[in-house]
Amino acid sequence: MSYSLDDLKTLMARLRDPDTGCPWDARQTFASIVPHTLEEAYEVADAIEREDYPHLEDELGDLLFQVIFYSQIGQETQHFDFDSVVDNLVRKLIRRHPHVFPEGTLASRIDPHNRPGEDWIKQSWERIKAEERSLKPAPDSAEPAGRLDAIARTLPAMARAEKLQKRAARHGFDWPDIGPVFDKLHEEIDELKEAWQVASNGSGERDALEDELGDVMFVCVNLARFMEVNPEHALKRTNHKFEARFRAIEAKLLAQGRDMDSETLETLDAIWQSVEGVERQR
């Protein structure tokens, strides 16, 4: 016997039953589930990065459960249900892919000998998304709708910085080439040094120091964008490199019967240099 999506929806409704369900599941809200959703998404990404496909199957199930969970709460609060979520998704994807569904229906087909080019597809995608944003109801705010709207504030800061920069660049607010970005990085580093000197003397505010450090990081994301490098992936590579080398130091000292906490920084740095490249062996 194999369970279906309908079975999963039934299971979720049973879990949420206030009389016979699970007390933990029954008291959850949209907001309380968010941390679990983020955790599950990262676990999916981790399984993919490790190419652990049996584990990926399990993690994808956990992520799907989050969607079912939100949909059940949406049904209970009469906002939406799973079927309306699916219907909205299919309609949106058909609308955003006129190069696949030329008549705006799921059954329509494109002529494979007359397919539009990549540039047309990209421009069409951006145009349609811009139209969708313009049709969304304005938030409860005195501020008028802006071109940076709909970029989620809950995104990791680095990912959101990249999206903000790309959106602004599409409207002409961008450096002409990578040269001025390097100049800006040097400028921001100098300002960070100055802020640190003031803060370390006890006469500066920590907020100012944080602002300057954020400016440096924001420019680094700009550099990555011009270089067509994913900044998150770049930092992940460095994290992996650092972890691999640090573990190599630990292993080397352990093999010699030495305690890392008792070694001098000069000794540790010398071993660090000696294990360079160990990350490429893993």
Side-chain angles (χ1 to χ4, degrees):
M1 175 183 174
S2 187
Y3 289 112
S4 67
L5 187 57
D6 285 338
D7 293 323
L8 180 58
K9 291 160 63 178
T10 299
L11 180 149
M12 186 71 254
R14 292 277 307 278
L15 289 175
R16 289 280 296 178
D17 188 292
D19 297 320
T20 61
C22 170
W24 186 89
D25 289 284
R27 67 171 174 264
Q28 297 311 306
T29 65
F30 286 125
S32 69
I33 305 172
V34 169
H36 303 284
T37 307
L38 295 174
E39 180 180 349
E40 297 300 350
Y42 280 118
E43 289 182 357
V44 166
D46 181 64
I48 292 173
E49 186 171 321
R50 293 184 288 103
E51 298 183 356
D52 184 354
Y53 300 117
H55 191 206
L56 175 60
E57 179 185 30
D58 187 53
E59 295 301 344
L60 286 172
D62 290 343
L63 188 58
L64 173 60
F65 183 70
Q66 300 298 304
V67 178
I68 295 293
F69 212 144
Y70 287 118
S71 299
Q72 178 63 31
I73 297 176
Q75 180 175 332
E76 295 166 3
T77 54
Q78 299 183 343
H79 291 307
F80 54 82
D81 59 22
F82 182 78
D83 291 339
S84 68
V85 169
V86 172
D87 179 70
N88 182 66
L89 175 62
V90 172
R91 291 176 186 276
K92 179 171 63 178
L93 292 178
I94 290 174
R95 183 173 64 249
R96 289 182 178 179
H97 293 80
H99 51 288
V100 179
F101 310 101
E103 297 172 17
T105 65
L106 188 59
S108 60
R109 294 288 187 274
I110 197 77
D111 179 357
H113 302 294
N114 192 31
R115 298 179 64 186
E118 290 288 336
D119 289 342
W120 185 94
I121 292 173
K122 183 177 180 180
Q123 292 172 8
S124 172
W125 176 270
E126 295 300 339
R127 175 183 54 79
I128 292 170
K129 290 187 69 175
E131 291 173 354
E132 291 173 354
R133 287 194 295 270
S134 69
L135 294 174
K136 286 186 177 180
D140 296 330
S141 170
E143 296 182 7
R147 289 175 173 79
L148 299 181
D149 288 353
I151 299 178
R153 295 180 179 274
T154 52
L155 280 171
M158 186 172 292
R160 190 162 192 267
E162 186 177 24
K163 284 183 174 291
L164 287 169
Q165 292 171 10
K166 286 183 176 179
R167 180 76 63 80
R170 287 204 296 269
H171 297 284
F173 192 75
D174 200 11
W175 303 103
D177 54 63
I178 197 171
V181 188
F182 278 111
D183 295 338
K184 187 64 175 176
L185 178 59
H186 292 305
E187 176 188 328
E188 295 296 351
I189 290 175
D190 288 340
E191 291 181 5
L192 176 60
K193 288 179 181 178
E194 182 179 340
W196 169 245
Q197 290 171 353
V198 174
S200 61
N201 290 332
S203 57
E205 295 183 2
R206 302 296 297 184
D207 284 350
L209 185 62
E210 187 174 289
D211 284 344
E212 296 300 343
L213 182 58
D215 289 345
V216 170
M217 297 171 74
F218 194 81
V219 176
C220 285
V221 174
N222 247 320
L223 274 178
R225 184 170 59 87
F226 270 88
M227 294 176 176
E228 298 184 353
V229 171
N230 185 302
E232 182 71 18
H233 291 172
L235 186 55
K236 278 186 177 181
R237 289 174 66 94
T238 298
N239 287 343
H240 169 70
K241 178 170 61 178
F242 179 86
E243 183 179 13
R245 289 191 189 180
F246 192 88
R247 291 183 183 278
I249 294 174
E250 289 179 310
K252 198 165 188 176
L253 290 171
L254 182 63
Q256 298 172 4
R258 296 158 65 186
D259 180 13
M260 184 175 189
D261 294 340
S262 302
E263 301 293 335
T264 65
L265 178 59
E266 290 74 18
T267 299
L268 296 177
D269 186 60
I271 302 175
W272 172 274
Q273 299 299 330
S274 73
V275 298
E276 182 178 359
V278 67
E279 69 275 4
R280 292 190 289 273
Q281 302 170 17
R282 301 191 176 199

